[in-house]
Amino acid sequence: MQAYRALESRFARLAALQDAAGILGWDAQTLMPEGAAGPRADQLAVLKGLAHDILTGPETVDGLAAAEDEAAGLGPWEGANLREMRRAWIHASAVPRDLVEASSRAVSRAEMTWREARRTADFPLLAPDLAEVLRLQREIGAAKGAVLGLAPYDALLDGYDPGLRRARIDPLFADLRTWLPDLVARARAAQAADASPQALDGPFPVDLQRAIGLVLMEAAGFDFTRGRLDISLHPFCGGATDDVRITTRYDESDVTRALMGVLHETGHALYEQGRPAAFRQQPVGAARGMSLHESQSLIVEMQACRTREFAGYLAPLLARTFGRDGGAWSADNLHRLYTRVEPGFIRVDADEATYPAHILLRYEIETAMIAGDLGVPDLPGAFNDGMRDLLGLTVPDDRVGCLQDIHWPGGAWGYFPTYTLGALAAAQLFRAARADEPDLLPALGRGDFTPLRVWLRRHVHAQGSLLETDELLAAATGAPLGTEAFRAHLEARYAAP
Amino acid sequence: MQAYRALESRFARLAALQDAAGILGWDAQTLMPEGAAGPRADQLAVLKGLAHDILTGPETVDGLAAAEDEAAGLGPWEGANLREMRRAWIHASAVPRDLVEASSRAVSRAEMTWREARRTADFPLLAPDLAEVLRLQREIGAAKGAVLGLAPYDALLDGYDPGLRRARIDPLFADLRTWLPDLVARARAAQAADASPQALDGPFPVDLQRAIGLVLMEAAGFDFTRGRLDISLHPFCGGATDDVRITTRYDESDVTRALMGVLHETGHALYEQGRPAAFRQQPVGAARGMSLHESQSLIVEMQACRTREFAGYLAPLLARTFGRDGGAWSADNLHRLYTRVEPGFIRVDADEATYPAHILLRYEIETAMIAGDLGVPDLPGAFNDGMRDLLGLTVPDDRVGCLQDIHWPGGAWGYFPTYTLGALAAAQLFRAARADEPDLLPALGRGDFTPLRVWLRRHVHAQGSLLETDELLAAATGAPLGTEAFRAHLEARYAAP
């Protein structure tokens, strides 16, 4: 075990560096004064470079070989940890250091240009920088693919979700395409026949919104001795080991979004806080991948908190806190507000029924671009065509079109599909949890997340990266990832007679 | 210049690591949830170890030798930078790594024990841990001293204030001893004859105190695009390059202390923000040492902001903000409150006339302990004897006696004298600034710090570590560090007829 133990201590140092970067990254998005951006970028680049050195250095290479020779003596967690160490090493060592650095610089530049291009809806301004990011992503995909024996896009996918392949995604997404448009149409028809939800009348002071968010986090099981809630322009879940920091943003004219945002990030945070304590600084103790991570935010936000049961708990809490009453503050109305289906331009604002269309479009586009079948100049046209085909919308300008997301200029190619895979997994896990825990929904009606959280902790959070994604889902739900539970969920919630 | 340039880039990486640790340290004292303490300690230890590796690695050793060979071609800043690089290397490499780590562990343990020992006024509880810290400090002093050709205590001093020696301190402190007790006695007699200041009637809501603090920081010239004000239990100035973070704590029953605390830390911050832009990530761009750093906090807090002129600006601002009036809110009364001389047990609460006595005592004790002439068991007795001799006070228990400061358990031996040296330097610099800028005091009466700040920026902040402390003071004030300006300042403020 000697070689393995030495690797464990090496990877714990790596985790400490990544945790340091996690806090610095959180700080940059929440509190950092603007003039510190340059030095902060230097700090993060140095930490990233040192982490890369630790991960790819000769001691790691030799240690992995030696530990794999003695792997027969390892228990299941240690064995899986060694597998994940090797996986991390492959991803880090497959890409030459100058390519990593070139990509990092190109991304920094493109993200900066993107902010301006989006503000002014000026895609040609972004195009050259985006082309450079794409070129380097294709190189990275090719370099990783050569080592992993994968096509470039699959190699990129593997970086966000170990084991994920186009061959796994394509049939799932093809299936969604066959029934989702009809379901959305039926949901909208049903809503049109129903009473329109009444808007809640504001204003909603930020301090009260924050107070309710804290109540909901507490109810969901967020551990405030190991995490915080703060404010950022773009909500996220970040931070470090035993220091999970989620953010939201507040709009005094709308209380519904900040709260669901808090619940969404709380789902991510419960996963992070629930990772196996004995391996929290080791690769096997990390969350399994971005699809499962998204499933944990969506299981809280979409599956649990947009139920009629939860609206029965939340509505009086809101009414009491803001000192309001009347029909708009009823549980039924709040539930209608929270389950509205309406195609729109912006992915992050989409309801769960139309959201997959945004992802199908981006998946189609980015796979074609990585394959070299679609060039940067043709991106806006392809995007707008897709919005018309998939959502029936005519994009007025690129600001609400292909410039809306940071992912592509940000170098996150191969990330988008995990959002919808996460939605599928969330539905599948929630159905299994309800079957195992009959009190799950009634408990949510009392603001009690315990049955759900205990089930998730056991079947997902505490598993870390012990299993592959489909193995974990099969163990927890009886089947690998599929579309059926998601379809049944949408039918029941939106298109039930 | 090739070897020198390579060193510059190596030291910039080092600065980035130290900056990262600066933000993580700030976070730990302001926002971090308690459960994150363990992982945060790991993060800081890893960063510290990596910084040590960069500073002492063979590339630094070889680079320093090569750059020194070509030093004739360097300009004054580059030459001074090389000198400071060598100085940093000597301090880091003089101490064996296992001694650094043993000291770091002993300090962590002793700090933890100290919190409990102070709370319960139980010196024997701390004694064994403190003895271990002292033993390792003596070893560190000896190891550095062997390389630097210095006695152990001088070698420790040099780590906080390059070039500082006992031979420099002893005559200054001996001089203070001859006239300070009499001055304090005369100041107290004068105050006894005068009207007692009236207390300001609270409460003082935290948000208003914070708002005034921000106004004062702005007035003093704090650059909020490169810094922040937050809250911590123990106020400090920390953070990173172009990201200077000061903290304060608020007491709703007393407004005077938080404001002076903010002004004190703002003085430190102005030094950090004013370091030479071209060398901010290099050793020569660092603040010159702790004595000059303290001079910058004291020149703002004590020299500038406890003047009658500044009270004339501050008093109406306070009265307006809290909606009060009456004699207690007059500038005269506020000035009397802010210039009260009264011996007390607690160093950090001491006025500027009695403060040096606290330092003389600690200096005497810690030099004796490092020299091996005073043992840990005899510390409380020596401390209490000194408090009686120097301040005429009988220490009731060790909580307000030798357990009050974190410095000794914290491993900061050789640090205490810089507080009083800073007070001497502040008086000397302020007198020179007033002579150069006749509008300096009248401007402070209008809340305008510009003349003072511009003078300090030029003569102190922008100098970084180009000059040695006495060289800088001689260039700025015409003389190396002395007691005369401080004495004249105290005579004028407290004992004028």
Side-chain angles (χ1 to χ4, degrees):
Chain A
M1 300 274 288
Q2 201 182 335
Y4 171 79
R5 290 291 169 216
L7 278 179
E8 268 198 336
S9 111
R10 202 161 168 82
F11 275 85
R13 290 179 69 213
L14 181 63
L17 277 185
Q18 290 162 338
D19 277 346
I23 297 295
L24 293 174
W26 168 87
D27 182 90
Q29 294 192 59
T30 52
L31 301 174
M32 187 184 76
E34 63 194 69
R40 181 60 52 87
D42 291 342
Q43 294 150 26
L44 289 169
V46 168
L47 292 183
K48 203 171 161 179
L50 289 167
H52 189 264
D53 291 346
I54 291 176
L55 185 49
T56 61
E59 288 175 52
T60 304
V61 177
D62 298 344
L64 282 170
E68 284 163 354
D69 281 344
E70 60 183 33
L74 297 176
W77 279 91
E78 286 79 7
N81 198 26
L82 187 55
R83 180 195 69 211
E84 295 302 316
M85 288 170 172
R86 171 63 78 182
R87 181 153 21 209
W89 177 84
I90 289 173
H91 273 279
S93 64
V95 188
R97 188 160 184 157
D98 57 352
L99 179 50
V100 174
E101 284 173 9
S103 174
S104 169
R105 277 193 301 273
V107 161
S108 296
R109 206 162 36 234
E111 285 188 351
M112 214 142 40
T113 311
W114 167 74
R115 284 174 222 287
E116 176 63 14
R118 184 173 69 158
R119 201 177 60 77
T120 56
D122 183 355
F123 184 80
L125 177 68
L126 176 63
D129 287 353
L130 184 60
E132 181 65 2
V133 169
L134 171 61
R135 185 180 74 75
L136 293 162
Q137 284 290 307
R138 294 178 66 194
E139 274 195 42
I140 289 172
K144 289 189 174 186
V147 175
L148 291 161
L150 295 174
Y153 187 80
D154 275 351
L156 295 175
L157 279 177
D158 198 77
Y160 298 110
D161 212 333
L164 187 60
R165 305 287 178 262
R166 287 200 63 183
R168 188 79 184 81
I169 299 171
D170 285 342
L172 297 170
F173 281 11
D175 181 68
L176 291 177
R177 261 184 200 270
T178 63
W179 54 262
L180 202 51
D182 171 64
L183 188 146
V184 168
R186 284 186 288 123
R188 300 195 70 205
Q191 285 182 354
D194 195 11
S196 279
Q198 293 175 255
L200 303 181
D201 46 319
F204 309 102
V206 166
D207 57 341
L208 295 182
Q209 292 198 48
R210 176 173 156 84
I212 297 173
L214 293 173
V215 166
L216 298 178
M217 287 169 72
E218 181 86 41
F222 187 93
D223 177 357
F224 283 97
T225 70
R226 298 190 294 128
R228 294 178 49 92
L229 168 67
D230 294 276
I231 294 176
S232 71
L233 186 57
H234 301 285
F236 67 97
C237 171
T241 306
D242 294 329
D243 196 357
V244 180
R245 301 190 174 190
I246 70 172
T247 67
T248 191
R249 63 182 157 198
Y250 300 101
D251 173 354
E252 295 221 323
S253 68
D254 177 11
V255 67
T256 58
R257 289 181 54 171
L259 290 187
M260 276 300 157
V262 166
L263 287 163
H264 182 97
E265 302 306 336
T266 297
H268 283 303
L270 293 178
Y271 196 177
E272 288 297 317
Q273 293 190 329
R275 295 191 287 116
F279 291 93
R280 230 168 249 160
Q281 313 260 43
Q282 295 296 317
V284 75
R288 173 64 289 183
M290 293 319 300
S291 297
L292 274 182
H293 227 309
E294 190 68 10
S295 81
Q296 296 309 290
S297 54
L298 293 175
I299 208 166
V300 172
E301 180 198 346
M302 294 293 177
Q303 297 289 329
C305 295
R306 294 188 195 248
T307 54
R308 175 61 181 75
E309 285 80 358
F310 189 72
Y313 162 73
L314 183 56
L317 173 62
L318 293 181
R320 206 164 55 234
T321 305
F322 295 110
R324 305 287 213 292
D325 55 23
W329 298 86
S330 71
D332 280 334
N333 185 63
L334 187 65
H335 184 237
R336 275 198 297 272
L337 280 170
Y338 270 141
T339 52
R340 197 77 187 154
V341 173
E342 186 155 15
F345 295 111
I346 304 299
R347 176 184 61 83
V348 297
D349 294 341
D351 59 82
E352 62 178 333
T354 60
Y355 196 107
H358 294 271
I359 297 305
L360 295 177
L361 170 59
R362 284 159 178 76
Y363 176 65
E364 198 172 327
I365 287 175
E366 71 176 18
T367 50
M369 293 182 82
I370 292 292
D373 297 335
L374 180 72
V376 166
D378 299 322
L379 170 54
F383 194 96
N384 297 349
D385 289 351
M387 286 295 282
R388 194 161 39 241
D389 293 349
L390 283 157
L391 285 163
L393 296 174
T394 303
V395 175
D397 64 47
D398 294 335
R399 194 177 55 84
V400 298
C402 68
L403 286 173
Q404 68 181 270
D405 295 312
I406 199 173
H407 299 59
W408 287 332
W413 299 68
Y415 190 106
F416 277 126
T418 66
Y419 290 114
T420 286
L421 300 177
L424 304 185
Q428 196 165 322
L429 288 164
F430 197 70
R431 186 170 64 176
R434 281 179 60 187
D436 286 352
E437 303 286 345
D439 188 45
L440 192 150
L441 276 180
L444 286 173
R446 304 185 299 269
D448 178 3
F449 287 71
T450 312
L452 174 61
R453 186 181 65 249
V454 169
W455 193 92
L456 289 174
R457 185 130 304 179
R458 180 171 154 217
H459 289 91
V460 182
H461 307 167
Q463 298 292 320
S465 289
L466 181 65
L467 306 173
E468 304 289 351
T469 302
D470 271 330
E471 290 173 353
L472 182 148
L473 286 171
T477 73
L481 188 64
T483 59
E484 191 233 324
F486 184 59
R487 182 176 188 175
H489 160 69
L490 294 181
E491 286 285 348
R493 180 172 286 175
Y494 298 101
Chain B
M1 299 272 288
Q2 202 182 332
Y4 171 78
R5 290 292 170 216
L7 278 180
E8 267 198 338
S9 112
R10 200 161 170 82
F11 275 84
R13 290 179 68 214
L14 182 64
L17 277 185
Q18 289 162 337
D19 276 348
I23 297 296
L24 292 173
W26 169 87
D27 183 90
Q29 294 192 60
T30 51
L31 301 173
M32 186 184 77
E34 64 193 66
R40 180 61 52 86
D42 291 342
Q43 294 149 28
L44 289 169
V46 168
L47 293 183
K48 200 170 164 182
L50 288 167
H52 189 264
D53 290 346
I54 291 177
L55 185 50
T56 61
E59 287 176 52
T60 304
V61 176
D62 298 346
L64 282 170
E68 283 163 355
D69 281 345
E70 60 184 33
L74 297 176
W77 279 91
E78 286 79 7
N81 198 25
L82 187 56
R83 179 195 70 209
E84 295 302 316
M85 288 170 172
R86 172 61 79 183
R87 184 161 7 216
W89 176 84
I90 289 173
H91 273 278
S93 64
V95 188
R97 189 161 182 155
D98 56 352
L99 179 50
V100 173
E101 284 172 10
S103 173
S104 169
R105 277 193 300 274
V107 161
S108 296
R109 206 164 34 235
E111 285 188 351
M112 215 145 36
T113 309
W114 168 73
R115 283 173 223 288
E116 177 62 15
R118 185 173 68 159
R119 201 177 60 76
T120 56
D122 183 356
F123 182 80
L125 177 67
L126 177 64
D129 287 354
L130 184 61
E132 180 65 3
V133 170
L134 171 61
R135 185 181 72 77
L136 293 161
Q137 284 289 308
R138 295 177 67 193
E139 274 193 42
I140 289 172
K144 290 189 173 184
V147 176
L148 291 161
L150 294 174
Y153 188 80
D154 275 352
L156 295 175
L157 280 178
D158 198 77
Y160 298 109
D161 211 333
L164 187 60
R165 305 287 178 261
R166 286 199 64 180
R168 187 79 185 81
I169 299 171
D170 286 341
L172 296 171
F173 282 11
D175 180 69
L176 290 177
R177 261 183 200 268
T178 63
W179 53 261
L180 201 52
D182 171 64
L183 188 146
V184 168
R186 282 187 289 124
R188 300 196 68 205
Q191 286 182 354
D194 195 12
S196 279
Q198 293 175 255
L200 303 181
D201 46 320
F204 309 100
V206 166
D207 58 341
L208 295 183
Q209 291 198 48
R210 177 175 156 82
I212 297 173
L214 294 173
V215 166
L216 298 178
M217 287 168 73
E218 181 87 40
F222 185 93
D223 177 357
F224 284 97
T225 70
R226 300 190 292 128
R228 294 176 51 90
L229 168 67
D230 295 277
I231 294 175
S232 71
L233 186 57
H234 301 286
F236 66 99
C237 170
T241 307
D242 294 329
D243 196 356
V244 179
R245 301 189 173 190
I246 70 172
T247 66
T248 191
R249 64 182 156 195
Y250 299 102
D251 173 352
E252 295 221 324
S253 69
D254 178 10
V255 67
T256 57
R257 289 181 54 170
L259 291 188
M260 276 301 155
V262 165
L263 287 163
H264 181 96
E265 302 305 337
T266 297
H268 283 304
L270 293 177
Y271 196 178
E272 288 298 316
Q273 293 190 329
R275 295 190 287 117
F279 290 92
R280 232 168 249 162
Q281 313 260 42
Q282 294 297 318
V284 75
R288 173 62 291 182
M290 293 320 300
S291 297
L292 274 182
H293 227 310
E294 190 68 10
S295 82
Q296 297 307 291
S297 55
L298 293 175
I299 208 167
V300 173
E301 180 197 348
M302 295 293 178
Q303 297 289 327
C305 295
R306 294 189 194 246
T307 54
R308 175 62 182 74
E309 286 80 358
F310 188 72
Y313 162 74
L314 184 56
L317 172 63
L318 292 181
R320 208 162 56 237
T321 306
F322 294 109
R324 305 285 215 293
D325 56 24
W329 298 86
S330 70
D332 280 334
N333 186 63
L334 187 65
H335 183 236
R336 274 198 297 271
L337 279 171
Y338 271 140
T339 53
R340 199 77 187 152
V341 173
E342 187 157 12
F345 294 112
I346 304 299
R347 176 184 60 83
V348 298
D349 294 340
D351 60 84
E352 62 179 333
T354 60
Y355 196 108
H358 294 271
I359 298 304
L360 294 177
L361 169 59
R362 284 158 178 77
Y363 175 67
E364 195 173 328
I365 287 175
E366 71 177 18
T367 50
M369 292 181 83
I370 292 291
D373 297 335
L374 180 71
V376 167
D378 299 324
L379 170 55
F383 194 96
N384 297 349
D385 288 350
M387 286 295 281
R388 195 163 37 240
D389 293 349
L390 283 157
L391 285 163
L393 296 175
T394 302
V395 175
D397 63 48
D398 294 334
R399 194 176 55 83
V400 297
C402 68
L403 286 174
Q404 68 182 271
D405 295 312
I406 198 173
H407 299 59
W408 288 331
W413 298 68
Y415 189 104
F416 277 126
T418 67
Y419 290 113
T420 285
L421 300 176
L424 303 186
Q428 196 165 323
L429 288 164
F430 196 70
R431 186 170 64 176
R434 282 179 60 186
D436 287 352
E437 304 285 346
D439 189 45
L440 193 150
L441 276 178
L444 286 172
R446 304 186 299 271
D448 178 4
F449 287 71
T450 312
L452 174 60
R453 187 181 63 251
V454 168
W455 192 93
L456 288 174
R457 185 131 305 178
R458 179 168 157 224
H459 289 91
V460 181
H461 308 166
Q463 299 291 321
S465 289
L466 180 65
L467 306 174
E468 304 290 350
T469 302
D470 271 330
E471 291 173 353
L472 183 147
L473 286 171
T477 72
L481 188 63
T483 59
E484 190 233 325
F486 183 59
R487 182 176 187 173
H489 159 70
L490 294 182
E491 286 285 347
R493 180 172 284 173
Y494 298 101

